[in-house]
């Protein structure tokens, strides 16, 4: 059984703890009465503006502390409460992050990563044991910085990818003619260079020119797969305030349209009659016209702040996150300019925290309330000290 400790009831805590969504989260988590009481008490203090407070949640092993803190964080995420979550070790902070992500994805729709842009995990990838294709990469700060930098590149970002595919579908025949012309020109120049080099009439090896069907399939596959990846990255890594659910629905529809065109090309690209004026090409015009109609509904630009355009993507991610995970020592990087004002601090495995490590976390800008979770019978803080004889 969990126990929580606090000061006397504050008048600010008497109001509602949030919304029906929060109530449903707590009920669906199937918590016991002590776990529910601990969460509700912590949710209420976020409304208190006239004094500071610290809440303690205590429980021995097996009482569901990690489940409780994950549910609490999920509620805070839904309430858009700016929260920094710390733990003394990389292992501990990865564990509580994984628990929150598990709850998040269980409750999500088909676009299960939409909203993860409001969660950030900051730290050292190697020390945290985050591997390629790990679910934690969806919220890992360094990974997000790289993806958003690429998406909003002025030369090869999302806008350019979308425009390139639309241009290709609008001018498919002209693109192929240009492709053939370029290759024939390269072949001609190669022949001339070979003649000058050897002084003979021996022709160099002919350059293979793709058929119209091969060219369309190869080019469309490349453009569309890159665009699909961009769509998933956008709804995964942009905070919800910058990409609406309507944007995401449009992207889901666009992905289905792209897959439809790819399937058509896979089935028909090698047929002899896949050329201008043929029945198969007319059919392709039909599916590509529908795809174009859907693609034109997608936003070319997102109203992101100047931080992305000025290459300060880290600040953008931290300022717009609702939940930030880091080790206690990592909280020293969360300065006011970079992170913004923090509403709540949650410290898991608090009994293992060294006093000096807690200083950075407790001095976060705007912080008024903290929740400490742990058990004094856990392993104590570890201090390495090399004694020189």
């Amino acid at each position: 059984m969990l126990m929580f400790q606090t000061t006397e009831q504050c008048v600010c805590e008497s109001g509602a703890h949030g919304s029906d969504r929060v109530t449903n989260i707590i009920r669906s988590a199937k918590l016991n009465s002590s776990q529910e009481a601990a969460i509700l008490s912590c949710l209420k203090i976020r409304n208190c503006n006239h004094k500071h407070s610290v809440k303690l949640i205590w429980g021995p092993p097996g009482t569901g502390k990690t489940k409780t803190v994950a549910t609490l964080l999920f509620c805070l995420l839904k309430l858009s409460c700016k929260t920094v979550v710390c733990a003394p070790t990389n292992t501990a902070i990865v564990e509580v992050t994984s628990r929150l992500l598990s709850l998040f994805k269980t409750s999500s729709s088909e676009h299960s990563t939409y909203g993860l842009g409001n969660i950030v995990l900051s730290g050292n990838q190697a020390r945290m044991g985050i591997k390629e294709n790990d679910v934690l990469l969806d919220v890992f700060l360094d990974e997000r910085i790289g993806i958003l930098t690429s998406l909003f590149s002025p030369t090869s970002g999302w806008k350019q990818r979308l425009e390139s595919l639309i241009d290709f579908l609008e001018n498919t025949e002209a693109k192929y003619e240009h492709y053939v012309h370029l290759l024939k020109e390269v072949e001609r120049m190669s022949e001339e260079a070979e003649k000058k080099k050897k002084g003979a009439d021996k022709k160099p090896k002919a350059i293979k020119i793709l058929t119209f069907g091969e060219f369309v399939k190869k080019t469309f596959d490349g453009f569309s797969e890159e665009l699909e990846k961009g769509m998933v990255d956008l709804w995964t890594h942009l905070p919800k305030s910058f990409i609406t659910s309507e944007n995401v629905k449009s992207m889901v529809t666009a992905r289905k349209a792209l897959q439809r065109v790819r399937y058509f090309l896979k089935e028909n690209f090698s047929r002899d009659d896949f050329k201008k004026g043929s029945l198969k090409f007319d059919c392709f015009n039909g599916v590509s016209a529908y795809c174009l109609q859907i693609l034109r509904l997608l936003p070319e630009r997102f109203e992101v702040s100047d931080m992305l355009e000025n290459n300060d993507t880290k600040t953008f991610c931290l300022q717009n996150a609702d939940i930030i995970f880091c080790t206690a020592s990592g909280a020293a990087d969360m300065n006011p300019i970079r992170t913004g004002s923090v509403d709540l601090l949650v410290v898991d495995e608090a009994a293992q925290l060294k006093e000096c490590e807690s200083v950075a976390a407790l001095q976060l800008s705007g912080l008024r309330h903290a929740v400490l979770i742990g058990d004094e019978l856990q392993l104590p803080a570890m201090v390495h000290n090399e004694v020189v004889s």
Side-chain angles (χ1 to χ4, degrees), residues 172-173 176 210-216 274-276 281:
T172 307
E173 297 168 60
Y176 181 67
L210 299 176
T211 66
F212 180 69
E214 291 171 338
F215 170 78
V216 173
F274 190 70
K275 56 188 177 182
K276 184 178 178 181
F281 183 72

Side-chain angles (χ1 to χ4, degrees), residues 140-297:
F140 189 62
L141 180 58
D142 290 350
E143 180 78 3
R144 178 164 296 163
I145 289 171
I147 289 173
L148 291 180
T149 300
S150 173
L151 282 171
F152 292 95
S153 164
T155 57
S156 58
W158 160 258
K159 183 175 183 290
Q160 289 73 27
R161 298 179 201 181
L162 180 59
E163 289 176 344
S164 295
L165 183 52
I166 289 176
D167 180 49
F168 175 73
L169 291 176
E170 288 177 336
N171 304 283
T172 307
E173 297 168 60
K175 296 289 182 185
Y176 181 67
E177 290 171 2
H178 180 65
Y179 158 77
V180 172
H181 172 75
L182 284 179
L183 284 192
K184 286 185 175 179
E185 187 65 17
V186 169
E187 191 173 51
R188 183 188 65 78
M189 293 174 66
S190 178
E191 287 178 359
E192 290 181 357
E194 193 69 24
K195 286 180 181 178
K196 290 179 181 179
K197 181 180 178 181
K198 296 185 177 180
D201 293 332
K202 183 180 178 181
K203 290 187 177 182
K205 187 176 181 181
I207 297 175
K208 182 181 184 323
I209 298 178
L210 299 176
T211 66
F212 180 69
E214 291 171 338
F215 170 78
V216 173
K217 181 181 184 302
K218 180 179 179 180
T219 308
F220 183 84
D221 285 354
F223 281 155
S224 64
E225 287 169 7
E226 191 175 53
L227 191 67
E228 273 199 66
K229 182 181 183 304
M231 286 188 278
V232 176
D233 285 341
L234 279 168
W235 77 55
T236 299
H237 294 284
L238 271 184
K240 293 176 76 172
S241 57
F242 293 94
I243 180 169
T244 67
S245 59
E246 292 304 316
N247 292 150
V248 177
K249 288 177 184 178
S250 296
M251 290 178 178
V252 171
T253 303
R255 288 188 74 192
K256 292 176 181 177
L258 294 175
Q259 290 162 7
R260 178 182 172 187
V261 176
R262 280 207 299 270
Y263 178 78
F264 176 88
L265 291 172
K266 179 181 177 182
E267 294 296 310
N268 296 283
F269 82 96
S270 61
R271 299 194 181 200
D272 293 336
D273 57 353
F274 190 70
K275 56 188 177 182
K276 184 178 178 181
S278 73
L279 175 62
K280 292 300 176 186
F281 183 72
D282 290 341
C283 290
F284 171 73
N285 278 340
V287 295
S288 66
Y290 170 74
C291 187
L292 267 171
Q293 180 183 355
I294 300 301
L295 292 177
R296 291 191 184 108
L297 296 176

